[in-house]
Amino acid sequence: MKKALKVIISGGGTGGHIFPALSIANAIKERFSDAEILFVGAEGRMEMEKVPAAGYRIIGLPISGFDRKNLLRNIPVLFRLLRSMIIAYFSIRRFHPDIAIGVGGYASAPTLRMASLMGIPTIIQEQNSYAGVTNKMLAKKASKICVAYPNMERFFPAEKIVVTGNPVRKDVLDIEGKRDEAIAFFGLDKSKKTLLVLGGSLGARTINNSVKAGIKMIQEDTDVQVIWQCGKFYYDEMSSLSELKKSKNIHLCAFISRMDLAYAAADMIISRAGAGSISEFCLLHKPVILVPSPNVAEDHQTVNAQSLTKVKAAIMVADVSAENSLVDIALTTLHDEGRLKELSENITKMALPDSANKIVDEVVSIVEKREL
């Protein structure tokens, strides 16, 4: 590299986009300490808080998503998109990046589109097994497309695809030798199987209602204990349940501050099927039951989950049937050592480690070719 590397990373909206973005930024800084990194996010979204907290500068765009049900509501959205394109233009012109990376989310579209128009090479990091409309559009001008699943040539030009996996949070993967610490942290019984239930930091209503419906079944299983992250929006409702107050084997929390310890304690996990979460489970070798959210674009969480279930690397329970069957399936599986071993072995085969550094390799290759 002839000069200090300058990189724009754009996207966000959810942890599933922000954590990979920060992982890529950290990997760049580890390799090139003098690198300059500028984030571009969407005003009012969580990246505007998380990115500065991680020590990086961020610019916010006044962009929002399109309303696919009511087209008339998109008139102000188009004006915000135009303003976002203008802000992206001047931000890129001032920063003068060597490359722009899009990780998904509202801000990535105007940023990468403008970067391409200005002759800046771009990389797309597609986290899901079903590509979104924005990334399919941006792929036409992208130099490389970094993916986490096979068969993505149905969405993108095959010659641009690089299988890197999804960058994940390093701190939550550090679970080796932490089981005893985890048992003490959550006040668990080390002789019992532990089920970790995750609905994200905000919570997932279907998963919460499913556990609520199965509380009696959990109470009656004296060999199982549950760590239940219900999310801050649902904590008051769930903590007031009379049945829960009688349960000694259910540990309810709004948010888990030490996810590494939760993973270390878990014998099995129940979760939504976000791409980032799945990547973590693969690297952790943890048996998992996935309950895909139906409230996402192109139903991509179902496609994510199916990519694991077809090779017996996970169990999928449909959102519509979870309340009636999820807890029963979870408890049955927890007592089946052969099934747990099979799930663990198969999900391990899906793991793609060191993803952030693989993406940095692509960044370096593209930038060095431009300098020749």
Side-chain angles (χ1 to χ4, degrees):
M1 205 76 68
K2 295 179 181 178
K3 58 184 180 64
L5 181 64
K6 301 181 79 171
V7 181
I8 279 181
I9 301 177
S10 184
T14 66
H17 295 309
I18 296 166
F19 293 135
L22 290 173
S23 295
I24 294 167
N26 292 339
I28 291 170
K29 292 295 285 185
E30 284 174 10
R31 197 178 305 189
F32 304 102
S33 59
D34 61 346
E36 294 182 53
I37 299 172
L38 174 66
F39 279 80
V40 180
E43 290 179 353
R45 307 292 289 187
M46 64 187 294
E47 60 264 27
M48 302 307 295
E49 176 186 343
K50 297 291 185 184
V51 170
Y56 295 102
R57 185 160 65 99
I58 187 168
I59 292 170
L61 303 181
I63 189 143
S64 59
F66 282 90
D67 189 329
R68 301 184 186 187
K69 295 179 180 178
N70 190 332
L71 296 180
L72 289 177
R73 291 182 181 175
N74 289 319
I75 294 173
V77 174
L78 291 172
F79 281 104
R80 286 195 289 270
L81 175 60
L82 178 60
R83 285 182 58 211
S84 295
M85 294 285 286
I86 294 169
I87 294 170
Y89 169 77
F90 284 107
S91 299
I92 293 167
R93 186 175 174 181
R94 283 193 296 267
F95 187 65
H96 197 64
D98 297 295
I99 195 165
I101 303 170
V103 296
Y106 298 143
S108 64
T111 306
L112 265 69
R113 178 65 176 154
M114 188 55 68
S116 293
L117 290 172
M118 296 171 72
I120 307 297
T122 63
I123 286 178
I124 295 170
Q125 201 265 314
E126 174 56 68
Q127 291 138 20
N128 294 294
S129 58
Y130 191 97
V133 174
T134 299
N135 275 352
K136 284 188 279 189
M137 176 190 72
L138 294 172
K140 296 174 184 177
K141 298 291 185 181
S143 299
K144 289 291 179 182
I145 302 155
C146 298
V147 303
Y149 293 92
N151 306 315
M152 295 301 285
E153 53 276 354
R154 54 198 169 127
F155 304 113
F156 304 124
E159 68 276 8
K160 293 184 178 184
I161 294 173
V162 183
V163 180
T164 60
N166 286 323
V168 298
R169 301 169 288 176
K170 283 186 178 180
D171 56 324
V172 304
L173 300 180
D174 182 21
I175 67 171
E176 192 67 33
K178 288 185 177 180
R179 183 168 173 79
D180 287 344
E181 181 185 356
I183 295 296
F185 182 85
F186 290 102
L188 303 173
D189 183 336
K190 67 188 306 180
S191 68
K192 295 182 178 183
K193 294 278 190 183
T194 301
L195 175 64
L196 174 62
V197 180
L198 301 173
S201 58
L202 302 181
R205 177 165 291 280
T206 296
I207 292 178
N208 286 333
N209 285 344
S210 299
V211 178
K212 177 181 173 181
I215 283 180
K216 186 176 180 182
M217 203 181 305
I218 296 169
Q219 287 174 328
E220 292 173 349
D221 193 326
T222 57
D223 295 321
V224 169
Q225 57 200 344
V226 177
I227 302 171
W228 178 13
Q229 178 187 272
C230 65
K232 65 179 183 179
F233 289 156
Y234 299 97
Y235 183 75
D236 289 343
E237 176 188 349
M238 297 303 160
S239 61
S240 65
L241 295 172
S242 58
E243 304 98 315
L244 189 64
K245 293 174 183 177
K246 303 172 188 175
S247 300
K248 295 181 181 180
N249 61 341
I250 301 178
H251 304 264
L252 179 73
C253 51
F255 177 76
I256 296 175
S257 61
R258 290 292 305 274
M259 190 56 71
D260 58 326
L261 296 183
Y263 282 152
D267 294 288
M268 190 170 70
I269 301 167
I270 291 174
S271 172
R272 287 301 199 189
S277 297
I278 288 177
S279 294
E280 289 180 357
F281 304 150
C282 292
L283 291 165
L284 290 162
H285 315 157
K286 293 289 182 178
V288 61
I289 298 176
L290 299 171
V291 186
S293 171
N295 306 311
V296 294
E298 287 89 27
D299 196 24
H300 67 255
Q301 285 202 7
T302 295
V303 182
N304 290 346
Q306 287 171 339
S307 69
L308 271 68
T309 58
K310 69 182 180 183
V311 293
K312 298 182 180 179
I315 297 169
M316 183 176 76
V317 175
D319 189 89
V320 69
S321 59
E323 195 167 330
N324 292 324
S325 63
L326 181 59
V327 169
D328 185 31
I329 291 171
L331 295 179
T332 300
T333 307
L334 267 174
H335 291 296
D336 187 340
E337 291 293 344
R339 189 73 192 283
L340 289 176
K341 183 180 179 182
E342 178 188 47
L343 290 168
S344 178
E345 289 176 349
N346 289 338
I347 202 169
T348 299
K349 296 173 186 175
M350 304 284 288
L352 292 168
D354 209 24
S355 298
N357 274 309
K358 291 174 183 174
I359 293 171
V360 177
D361 289 341
E362 297 303 320
V363 169
V364 172
S365 175
I366 292 166
V367 173
E368 286 184 342
K369 283 180 182 176
R370 290 192 84 207
E371 289 180 345
L372 294 176

